Amino acid sequence: MAEHVTGDRVYAEQVRQLYRLSRPAYLGTLINSSILVFALWGIVSGTLLGAWLCAMFLVTGARYLLYRAHRGTNPPDEEAPRWARRFVMGTGAAGLLWGLAGSVLYPVSSLPHQFLVIFLIGGMMVAAMVVLGPLRQAFLTYVLPAFIPLIAMVFAQGTTLHLFMGVLIIVLLGVVLGTSPVLAQIVRESLRVKFENSMLVEQLSQANRELSERISAQQSAEEVLRQTSQKLEALIDASPISIMARDQNLRILKWNAAAERMFGWSEREVLGGTVPFVPPELEDEAVALRQQLLRGESITDFETMRMRKDGARINISISTTVMRDASGQPAGFISLATDITERKRAERRLQMEHAVTRILEESRTVEDALPHLLRTIAEASGWVYGARWELDKAANLLRCMETWCVDAPEVREFMAFSRLRTQTPGASKGPIHQVWGSNAPVWIADVAQEINMRRGPAALKAGLHSIFAFPILVGEEFYGVIELFGREVRQPDPGLVAVVHTIGSQLGQFMARKAAEQNLRFVASHDPLTGLFNRNIFNERLHQALAQAARFERSLSLLFIDLDGFKLINDTHGHNAGDALLAELAARLRTTLREGDVIGRMGGDEFVVLIEEFAEVSQVAEVAKTLLDTVTRPFVLHGQSCQVTASLGISIYPDDGSDAQTLLKNADMAMYLVKQQGKNSFRFYSPQMNVHLMERLSLESGLRHAIERGELLLLYQPRVGVRDGQVTGMEALMRWQHPTQGMIGPSEFIPVAEDAGLMAAIGEWALHSACRQARAWRDLGLPMLRVAVNLSHKQFQQESLIQVVREALHRVTLEPARLELEITEEMVIRNPERAVRLLTQLKEIGVRVVVDGFGTGYSSLSFLRRLPIDSVKIDRSLIVDLPRNSDAAALTRGVVAMAHSLGLTVIAEGVETREQWEFLHQQGCEEMQGNYFSAPVMPEIVPGIVRQPAAAGGRANVQTLRSRRADGDTDSQT
């Protein structure tokens, strides 16, 4: 009956531990599932990921509510099976969802993401060994649904790698399933021992109290006491738990057979003395415990390490109860001890596996990970020295890499001795060579018995007597060896051997992955053909060098090299020969330069060299001459001698620029001038070089093809009523989407287009495009919108302007009233008579005319009366200072008053703030445009702005579009 009760209590306590341990697992599940979805987003269907994550959150939430219900009700032992079934249902659902993650969500197209899924599910299952360890049924319902679909999915991929991955997962599953019952049994045995100990201590205490009461009550109780004592001694002798009884001075009175078996001393050896099993290093702890007992304080389930007679350390859990006399003073002590060494080993192994996984996950390089990993493995499993031996495949030998040892001089001496050695095949039959030859762990219990180990005498001199070595593998490929040395003679530990098999594979995969990542980083940072830095990395090094030069007030030089005649090499000998020439040239240049100089390939046949720490500019010139001589040396390509030359431009920091872009540009310009002046030479940059001319030529060349390539585009900035906020029109603003320079504003390319004679074609394109867009908006049912198009000086001077306008309107069947043409005061001042005639013709067509930039001082009131115009647009130079600047405010009032006196509508451009709007509203300005209401937008955004008008003084709900080079445009707010 007692066994049944104890069994029920143990089971009930297992269920309680299951619920207690599960709490942090819920948060871990949510975090890991979120990380998995984030990592797989874009690789796996977003719908499946979202559905899976929602299901995982629902299941985890339900499990957490079950946990809260259990904690809130604190059910009695009789209800434990029911709560266990509920918990198992939750774990089964969670395990099934992880199984779906390993099958339905398996990223077939991405091997790194497959590793992530496998690693994450494997980590969750290993964590389940601890969290679900108290109840094996819960553990199995969680692990099997999660692992089996994953294993099937991995094998289904059909590749050799996936075959090995599947086998490794099966091995992991086997380890997990094999370890789980051990952990569950340890938990059950610990709980059973705990309850039995408590019951035994309670019985002993009760017996002691009864004996004390009977002795004090009557002498006749002596016989009863004697019988009780005999029973107690029999119980102690028969108990499987180590029991010792001590007097009030802590001297041993009783030492049962279990204690003899656990500690190795017989009762006769210990009677009358103090406990002999305290290790020297734990003497302080033992003193504290003795003082606690002498104060009359009991000890319950205290876990510590003790020593056997043969010197071996064991982990024990000890409980001591105080036996008191009639006055309540301690009269003796009874201690119960259980051996928990195996449980502690299992816990340490599990902690070691988790720590190793965390180290490998968090470390950026193998060099970062290995010292921590060696220390973790050694400390967790009781070793004092560890080292990694790495296989040098090219030399076919093992080199000692990372090491770790305890802080002991003799061990450090052995570590230094080992680091200087290498291991070659067949040189020895020691543990390292055995592992190298067999790809299997090797355990040497006593180094003194190993006559084939060359380092054996050195190890024994350092006090090292046992060795454990295991391989680092990726599949079956050997990467190296981890060796561990211990002080004591130590027999093989099968559990540790099984664990390090997994660790060796993990480490091998980590090293292989890091090697692959390093190769990828090299490819990302170096030119694959020449092995030189690519453009991005060279620019990074240049920025770093500039920061150092600025900090320490040093100079540096930039040499831009461009080959002469390289195209001829490609054309005559083929691109393979050209590639070979570039590769050989890169090697020559690296040899020519100093070790600290930086060289990179910018693309094609262009190279850049960064030189730091030179005393005189003449030294840079000497380097340039050496580089040119290096380039001109003949190359042998396909058996033929070929020769190229180079043009080299030089810029100096800080004289020729203070930033990387300027220095590169100036060095490039100097190189370009060398090419213009005959090539095969070098030149220092000078400020007199016409940089602007070169940029202008580049822009002109690009403009000649911009229209046919579709690089020109129009943005539209809304014009709204100042009083009511209604959109009345759109101004078309031209931009050039340059293929390399990004968005360019009209202030940069319009003057170039005019000088190059391209303005007619560009202006005609803009007019046709704006009319076509206006017709499109009309077809969408938008209210009357006038589209304003700016005319350039060249366009206004064209005799065919009227015909161009008519054709643009006719081609799209657009009402002339929907078109506005904006001109400047300067245009009409140059030739007033022609201007009046031309504007009159435009008015006869029905096109509206607006004078842009009004208020800059060109026009007079009498002249404006002669012009057939509809509106004036106040120049932004007046608006920008409103209303704080009194002069700008006064001029604006005058312009508004003048325009109103002539019956003209006033438009304000460049309105950026509410204060400007309020001022214009007070002055009676009719319309405005500017970033305060809306920046220029793409045409497809306009309908939304028009159909959702803002209140007076409000702003349109539209995101600003900002180009990289249009900030300074006079007619642009982008």
Side-chain angles (χ1 to χ4, degrees), residues 201-349:
V201 170
E202 183 179 353
Q203 291 175 3
L204 293 174
S205 299
Q206 180 64 27
N208 185 47
R209 286 194 298 271
E210 290 176 357
L211 288 174
S212 299
E213 291 173 357
R214 290 178 181 179
I215 289 174
S216 61
Q218 56 185 7
Q219 188 175 3
S220 61
E222 290 181 358
E223 180 62 25
V224 177
L225 178 59
R226 185 184 64 80
Q227 293 177 0
T228 303
S229 297
Q230 289 178 345
K231 292 179 181 178
L232 179 59
E233 288 187 5
L235 179 62
I236 291 175
D237 288 335
S239 174
I241 299 173
S242 298
I243 300 176
M244 53 185 164
R246 290 177 284 178
D247 62 16
Q248 67 272 21
N249 296 319
L250 295 173
R251 296 190 178 278
I252 298 175
L253 300 176
K254 181 66 178 175
W255 181 269
N256 73 347
E260 291 182 356
R261 292 191 298 271
M262 179 182 295
F263 298 107
W265 285 279
S266 67
E267 184 176 34
R268 184 173 52 195
E269 292 176 299
V270 298
L271 284 179
T274 58
V275 290
F277 48 57
V278 177
E281 66 271 16
L282 296 179
E283 186 59 39
D284 291 341
E285 175 191 278
V287 170
L289 292 175
R290 286 196 290 268
Q291 292 174 350
Q292 180 179 343
L293 291 174
L294 293 174
R295 291 195 303 268
E297 301 174 8
S298 299
I299 298 173
T300 303
D301 292 336
F302 182 77
E303 295 183 357
T304 184
M305 180 180 288
R306 290 295 180 256
M307 183 173 61
R308 288 176 49 85
K309 184 178 180 180
D310 60 7
R313 265 57 170 178
I314 59 173
N315 295 99
I316 68 170
S317 175
I318 187 167
S319 297
T320 301
T321 186
V322 181
M323 301 174 63
R324 303 180 186 274
D325 57 21
S327 63
Q329 296 300 315
F333 308 92
I334 295 181
S335 299
L336 290 81
T338 54
D339 188 346
I340 59 172
T341 303
E342 286 303 319
R343 193 193 82 195
K344 285 295 184 181
R345 285 179 180 173
E347 290 176 355
R348 285 195 294 269
R349 290 169 194 151

Side-chain angles (χ1 to χ4, degrees), residues 890-928:
L891 286 172
T892 301
R893 293 189 189 98
V895 169
V896 173
M898 179 188 297
H900 285 169
S901 68
L902 297 176
L904 301 175
T905 301
V906 180
I907 306 169
E909 67 174 344
V911 179
E912 303 287 340
T913 67
R914 184 175 181 85
E915 291 78 10
Q916 293 171 352
W917 167 78
E918 291 174 350
F919 179 86
L920 295 169
H921 185 274
Q922 294 171 1
Q923 304 307 314
C925 179
E926 286 84 0
E927 298 178 8
M928 70 170 185

Side-chain angles (χ1 to χ4, degrees), residues 585 587-589 592 625-635:
L585 176 60
R588 289 185 186 180
L589 295 177
T592 302
K625 293 177 184 177
T626 303
L627 292 174
L628 291 177
D629 293 340
T630 299
V631 174
T632 56
R633 294 206 312 265
F635 295 86

Side-chain angles (χ1 to χ4, degrees), residues 726-783:
Q726 297 295 317
V727 179
T728 59
M730 296 284 168
E731 181 178 3
L733 302 175
M734 189 182 303
R735 299 289 183 271
W736 180 11
Q737 184 64 53
H738 195 279
T740 60
Q741 301 182 34
M743 193 77 78
I744 303 178
S747 62
E748 289 192 46
F749 68 84
I750 291 299
V752 176
E754 290 179 336
D755 293 342
L758 302 174
M759 200 59 237
I762 293 177
E764 186 172 343
W765 171 86
L767 187 61
H768 280 269
S769 297
C771 290
R772 185 166 54 252
Q773 187 58 57
R775 171 58 189 266
W777 287 332
R778 188 192 73 177
D779 294 342
L780 289 175
L782 297 185

Side-chain angles (χ1 to χ4, degrees), residues 134-202:
L135 196 62
R136 179 165 173 78
Q137 183 180 2
F139 175 76
L140 293 177
T141 57
Y142 186 76
V143 170
L144 294 180
F147 259 95
I148 291 175
L150 175 64
I151 293 171
M153 195 65 189
V154 171
F155 277 112
Q157 303 308 306
T159 67
T160 303
L161 175 61
H162 285 89
L163 175 62
F164 287 131
M165 287 167 58
V167 172
L168 288 176
I169 296 172
I170 291 174
V171 171
L172 175 60
L173 179 59
V175 171
V176 169
L177 293 178
T179 306
S180 170
V182 176
L183 291 177
Q185 182 63 27
I186 290 173
V187 171
R188 286 193 298 271
E189 289 298 326
S190 298
L191 292 175
R192 182 174 290 104
V193 168
K194 175 182 177 181
F195 288 126
E196 290 176 353
N197 289 352
S198 299
M199 292 173 62
L200 183 57
V201 170
E202 183 179 353

Side-chain angles (χ1 to χ4, degrees), residues 366 418 475 485 769 790:
V366 174
S418 296
F485 283 71
S769 297
N790 290 279

Side-chain angles (χ1 to χ4, degrees), residues 498-674:
V499 168
V500 299
H501 177 76
T502 301
I503 291 176
S505 297
Q506 280 184 289
L507 180 55
Q509 292 171 5
F510 172 79
M511 294 173 62
R513 184 173 74 251
K514 290 302 178 182
E517 291 175 358
Q518 185 175 358
N519 292 335
L520 287 176
R521 284 194 295 271
F522 181 86
V523 172
S525 60
H526 290 72
D527 173 52
L529 176 62
T530 62
L532 302 178
F533 286 141
N534 59 23
R535 180 189 298 269
N536 293 334
I537 299 302
F538 182 86
N539 286 337
E540 288 183 10
R541 294 297 179 90
L542 177 56
H543 281 89
Q544 295 170 3
L546 286 171
Q548 292 291 317
R551 180 179 180 183
F552 297 105
E553 298 183 353
R554 296 197 296 248
S555 296
L556 58 82
S557 177
L558 207 62
L559 286 68
F560 201 106
I561 305 171
D562 187 275
L563 299 184
D564 306 322
F566 180 71
K567 184 176 184 300
L568 181 62
I569 297 293
N570 278 335
D571 293 342
T572 56
H573 298 280
H575 288 281
N576 290 338
D579 291 345
L581 185 148
L582 292 175
E584 183 178 344
L585 176 60
R588 289 185 186 180
L589 295 177
R590 275 197 302 264
T591 304
T592 302
L593 295 170
R594 300 176 303 178
E595 184 177 352
D597 297 335
V598 180
I599 181 171
R601 183 187 180 198
M602 304 302 281
D605 57 354
E606 295 179 344
F607 300 86
V608 184
V609 176
L610 171 63
I611 299 177
E612 302 180 75
E613 299 182 4
F614 55 87
E616 300 292 339
V617 174
S618 60
Q619 295 176 334
V620 179
E622 290 300 321
V623 173
K625 293 177 184 177
T626 303
L627 292 174
L628 291 177
D629 293 340
T630 299
V631 174
T632 56
R633 294 206 312 265
F635 295 86
V636 178
L637 303 175
H638 301 317
Q640 298 183 15
S641 178
C642 303
Q643 190 171 17
V644 294
T645 59
S647 300
L648 193 152
I650 307 171
S651 60
I652 305 293
Y653 169 86
D655 298 338
D656 301 332
S658 59
D659 60 87
Q661 183 177 1
T662 303
L663 290 171
L664 284 169
K665 180 186 66 176
N666 291 340
D668 188 18
M669 175 57 64
M671 179 275 297
Y672 185 79
L673 290 179
V674 171

